[in-house]
Amino acid sequence: MNLSIHQTFLPHTDAAASLAFYRDTLGFTVHNDVGYNGLHWITVGPAGQPSTSIVLFPPQATPGITDNERRTVAELMAKGSYATIVLATTDLDGTFDRVQASSAEVVQEPTLQPYGVRDCAFRDPAGNLIRIQEVSVPPSGTQA
């Protein structure tokens, strides 16, 4: 079996704000930008990794979701407890400084965790938790 992680989905509440965060602050490349019926899907990914993407989607477009479920998702997003992604970098302090200089909400400054991982955390414009771990080897497909 040969599996890879191809895409993950994170909800957005403001496509333009999410695009600015992922493209301009994190430096991701835009793979796709699709609008339909007033809704917006944006696919972004790390430069040099064209087969790994995050799809930023409008949660109200989820098939079969009820109004009560939509309200629950919106409440969890507002609290920042709905979705999380973990990114990796060889330069945690430089990455933290760059993201902190944007309008992103800082959740945790760079910290060595008791389980041996040094990381920091932010919230994106939709409230998704973005954890960034420091790694000694560049993530696959990137340059140091």
Side-chain angles (χ1 to χ4, degrees):
M1 185 179 307
N2 183 6
L3 296 174
S4 64
I5 297 175
H6 183 61
Q7 293 181 327
T8 190
F9 285 66
L10 290 177
H12 74 71
T13 54
D14 179 332
S18 290
L19 177 62
F21 178 77
Y22 285 91
R23 181 193 58 205
D24 304 337
T25 300
L26 296 182
F28 284 172
T29 300
V30 177
H31 297 292
N32 206 356
D33 190 338
V34 176
Y36 177 74
N37 276 347
L39 302 175
H40 211 135
W41 290 257
I42 304 166
T43 305
V44 297
Q49 298 180 46
S51 63
T52 302
S53 299
I54 300 169
V55 180
L56 305 166
F57 73 100
Q60 63 270 35
T62 302
I65 192 168
T66 66
D67 288 342
N68 282 340
E69 291 166 334
R70 189 173 296 116
R71 278 190 293 276
T72 299
V73 167
E75 289 170 6
L76 291 171
M77 288 175 66
K79 290 173 56 178
S81 57
Y82 183 70
T84 300
I85 192 166
V86 180
L87 307 174
T89 181
T90 56
D91 179 16
L92 185 65
D93 295 312
T95 301
F96 177 81
D97 290 344
R98 191 168 92 199
V99 178
Q100 185 182 34
S102 74
S103 60
E105 176 188 350
V106 175
V107 176
Q108 175 205 300
E109 296 189 4
T111 302
L112 179 59
Q113 302 294 346
Y115 43 87
V117 171
R118 186 167 182 264
D119 67 357
C120 64
F122 295 91
R123 295 207 190 285
D124 76 2
N128 299 307
L129 183 63
I130 313 296
R131 297 201 72 85
I132 304 173
Q133 292 184 347
E134 186 170 58
V135 294
S136 59
V137 177
S140 178
T142 64
Q143 299 176 354

